[in-house]
Amino acid sequence: MTQKKDTSTILAIESSCDDTAAAVLKHGKILANEVANQKIHEQYGGVIPELASRAHTQNIVPVVDLALKKSKVTINEITHIAYTLGPGLKGSLMVGTHFAQAMANTLNIPFIEINHLQAHVAALYIQNPKPVFPFLCLLVSGGHTQIIKVNDYLSFEIIGETLDDAVGEAFDKGAKMLGLPYPGGPHINQLAQGGNTHFFELPKTNLPDFNFSFSGLKTALLYHLNKQKEINPNYIKENLKNICATWQHSLIQNLIRQFEKAIKQHQIKSIAISGGVSANTELRKAIEQLGIKHNCEIMIPNFEYCTDNAAMVAISAYHQIIN
Ligand code: KG4
Ligand code: ZN
């Protein structure tokens, strides 16, 4: 594929869920990547869409302003505005969309609409400008769990996905049952360190293709906790580390089983993870081991590019411009 000459300076905006983010990319390099996390949802155990939209409205101007200041790029140097079109929460997306389109119209420059999942995959190119194609990407976030065969910067196919909950959602719902704040994934990850990964039994899901299912596991955790709490009301408090370690291990093993099957059947020698759950330390280790076992190249994003951010939106737009 011949690439066009790049003269772009992109301002990117991401507002698909509960993080308001802005980034600046100049000539293929990320110069600023700012995120305003919304703490308001912690107390509710999940994202409240109306509160998320309101917080985006409050955060968007300061976040864009900060990204521009940090990048030392002036508003008149920007050649394109990229923003997340979807999928995501309607009201949240609308804040980013309106802001980005209004700014592009005012500056009389084009805007580029970006698919959120494509952006999570593109996050890998920030550190790997010349990835080995095709590669298999395990995309794991709060809303999606997919195995994607990435053929080129702009071409990919989904070969497997969750039939019910996303794995991030399973982390968060498990955390909620344990009384941990939202988002629960990072709390489970931290508490699981050094815990017993086989403290109690959880079922293994084994679907015939490359799909995933987490709802049965979630029910099994709920039943286990209810039963144990009847015997000992302090069961969770006294065993939190081991429960987190077992829950996390079970979720990761379910991901790895299907991903390994896909690697074998597609005979692909380049693998990657992306999305919020790719920040999970047990998953990162498991992917490294899988790469060694199957002699594959591995791509794992830096922590700042795992959870929602605008740098991934910017790099995605950049590849649309040059390819
Ligand atoms: O990609 P992301 O920021 O937003 C969506 O597109 O959904 O992913 C958020 C998800 C949440 O479910 C959060 O609990 C999970 O990523 N997450 C983690 C970790 N860090 C974030 N899950 C497990 N371990 C982590 N370290
Ligand atoms: Zn995301």
Side-chain angles (χ1 to χ4, degrees):
M1 188 184 279
T2 48
Q3 294 192 330
K4 292 182 200 130
K5 192 172 172 334
D6 165 52
T7 53
S8 59
T9 300
I10 305 168
L11 170 69
I13 287 157
E14 151 65 34
S15 70
S16 64
C17 191
D18 58 339
D19 295 313
T20 323
V24 177
L25 176 147
K26 186 172 183 176
H27 303 163
K29 293 245 165 348
I30 301 292
L31 300 185
N33 183 33
E34 297 303 316
V35 184
N37 302 116
Q38 302 181 359
K39 297 275 173 230
I40 183 91
H41 310 286
E42 270 180 16
Q43 56 192 297
Y44 299 104
V47 177
I48 309 293
E50 288 78 7
L51 296 181
S53 321
R54 205 179 301 166
H56 282 304
T57 311
Q58 285 164 353
N59 292 342
I60 197 151
V61 173
V63 170
V64 168
D65 196 38
L66 190 61
L68 285 171
K69 279 198 181 112
K70 285 214 173 158
S71 69
K72 299 194 169 62
V73 160
T74 64
I75 223 166
N76 291 322
E77 287 176 74
I78 296 166
T79 58
H80 300 77
I81 308 235
Y83 68 91
T84 307
L85 181 67
L89 299 173
K90 266 212 171 82
S92 294
L93 289 164
M94 220 174 342
V95 178
T97 302
H98 286 168
F99 183 90
Q101 291 193 359
M103 195 161 169
N105 288 338
T106 309
L107 295 172
N108 199 20
I109 56 174
F111 58 80
I112 304 174
E113 297 171 333
I114 298 295
N115 175 287
H116 184 66
L117 303 177
Q118 208 163 352
H120 269 303
V121 175
L124 295 160
Y125 309 142
I126 299 172
Q127 296 148 255
N128 307 276
K130 299 217 176 299
V132 180
F133 292 113
F135 65 86
L136 279 189
C137 180
L138 179 64
L139 195 161
V140 280
S141 74
H144 292 84
T145 302
Q146 298 175 327
I147 299 178
I148 303 176
K149 182 168 173 249
V150 186
N151 299 313
D152 208 329
Y153 290 108
L154 302 181
S155 139
F156 64 87
E157 51 196 295
I158 295 162
I159 62 166
E161 62 189 329
T162 183
L163 304 178
D164 39 59
D165 289 353
V167 65
E169 206 178 342
F171 264 103
D172 296 339
K173 286 180 178 168
K176 194 174 177 184
M177 290 180 214
L178 299 173
L180 300 171
Y182 176 86
H187 295 281
I188 300 239
N189 190 172
Q190 206 187 6
L191 286 160
Q193 312 272 339
N196 178 355
T197 53
H198 294 86
F199 188 59
F200 59 96
E201 281 268 338
L202 282 167
K204 279 186 186 166
T205 52
N206 210 349
L207 300 180
D209 39 31
F210 308 127
N211 292 331
F212 304 92
S213 169
F214 296 102
S215 67
L217 274 176
K218 201 179 58 189
T219 309
L221 176 66
L222 183 67
Y223 284 179
H224 172 80
L225 294 177
N226 286 346
K227 201 169 143 202
Q228 294 301 320
K229 279 193 289 186
E230 268 178 28
I231 303 164
N232 172 11
N234 291 325
Y235 175 75
I236 292 179
K237 209 169 144 201
E238 286 170 11
N239 300 287
L240 191 56
K241 236 179 144 44
N242 293 332
I243 301 169
C244 287
T246 300
W247 180 236
Q248 171 171 285
H249 188 67
S250 163
L251 297 178
I252 302 298
Q253 285 311 306
N254 276 293
L255 289 174
I256 293 294
R257 238 187 336 272
Q258 296 303 78
F259 195 42
E260 183 166 25
K261 218 192 312 174
I263 295 168
K264 281 191 200 154
Q265 282 200 23
H266 283 264
Q267 299 201 336
I268 285 183
K269 290 290 174 201
S270 182
I271 60 171
I273 45 171
S274 67
V277 182
S278 66
N280 184 272
T281 42
E282 185 175 338
L283 178 60
R284 292 166 87 92
K285 276 192 204 130
I287 291 294
E288 274 171 15
Q289 281 161 5
L290 208 56
I292 294 166
K293 185 172 167 192
H294 294 281
N295 198 18
C296 294
E297 297 270 336
I298 312 162
M299 288 184 284
I300 298 178
N302 275 353
F303 285 108
E304 65 180 313
Y305 303 131
C306 292
T307 44
D308 288 346
N309 64 87
M312 67 186 192
V313 178
I315 195 88
S316 196
Y318 170 75
H319 283 287
Q320 285 197 23
I321 294 168
I322 63 163
N323 286 307

